[in-house]
Amino acid sequence: MPLIPEEPQIHEKAQGPRATPASGRTAPTPRPVPGPRPAAPPRPGRPGPARPAAPAQRASRDTAAKPAPSGPAAAAPARSAPQIQLIPATSDGALDAAEEAVDLLLDSGRTPGDVLVVTTGEPHPWATHELSFGDAAYWAQHDAGDDVFYTDAAAVDRAASRAVVVVALNGGDEAAAATVLPLARSRAGTLLIVCGDPQRVNSVLGAGV
């Protein structure tokens, strides 16, 4: 069943708080990037009060002790597929749309460590900046898991699963999207948000939704 384009509002059916803009404002329609991005991006590592570290993971109520199923080959419960949210955007506007999606998620109560952002074209400025200090330092921030982490198509298979994965289709060829989207879906615990051309997204994920 093909995905239906939706307004850039982040919502989940069953997991976590509803991601709606604060104070009743409506989320702006994703727009083209207005110009070159600053070398030192505002998130993560922007000046000002640091975000609180992600709290220790709580055990899910679903993992509470239950009677073991009878039979010689009791299979483990299957992992539920994440909800998929599509935010229509051009290649030039996909990164801005992803940033707005992250803001809505954090405003709704998600912790920064819940969120992984993946780009298919030009890397996010934060990733470029942090990689200038070396690969080890960059991935150490990923492993710490206490802030939003930005990576690209080439490295998404190295990223660990997070509750929410946001993909910005901000460039790259069709092969990049075809590779990244299934990987991103496998890394998303509860929600996968894709910012990009709806036709392109449906051609890759439509059959699996």
Side-chain angles (χ1 to χ4, degrees):
M1 171 180 175
L3 293 170
I4 300 175
E6 301 182 26
E7 290 298 324
Q9 300 181 22
I10 311 308
H11 62 272
E12 302 180 46
K13 294 180 181 176
Q15 298 87 1
R18 293 175 61 87
T20 55
S23 304
R25 58 183 176 85
T26 57
T29 302
R31 58 192 182 282
V33 178
R37 293 176 173 272
R43 187 195 313 104
R46 62 185 172 188
R51 293 196 191 96
Q57 292 182 343
R58 298 178 182 176
S60 169
R61 286 176 295 178
D62 295 336
T63 60
K66 296 180 181 179
S70 58
R79 177 175 175 268
S80 59
Q83 178 187 350
I84 300 174
Q85 171 80 38
L86 172 61
I87 299 177
T90 64
S91 293
D92 288 340
L95 198 53
D96 272 355
E99 289 279 29
E100 290 177 7
V102 171
D103 286 340
L104 287 171
L105 287 164
L106 299 180
D107 287 346
S108 74
R110 283 284 183 187
T111 59
D114 280 347
V115 185
L116 171 69
V117 180
V118 183
T119 57
T120 60
E122 182 181 353
H124 188 278
W126 179 87
T128 301
H129 177 72
E130 293 303 321
L131 278 167
S132 69
F133 298 104
D135 191 71
Y138 170 74
W139 285 102
Q141 296 190 58
H142 164 273
D143 296 340
D146 57 5
D147 213 336
V148 180
F149 189 78
Y150 295 82
T151 190
D152 60 21
V156 65
D157 59 340
R158 184 173 172 181
S161 296
R162 290 200 177 189
V164 183
V165 177
V166 181
V167 178
L169 297 178
N170 64 327
D173 54 22
E174 292 302 316
T179 300
V180 167
L181 290 175
L183 276 172
R185 180 167 56 183
S186 73
R187 297 295 189 273
T190 60
L191 180 63
L192 170 65
I193 301 168
V194 185
C195 305
D197 175 56
Q199 263 189 323
R200 192 178 182 192
V201 177
N202 281 326
S203 68
V204 178
L205 293 181
V209 178

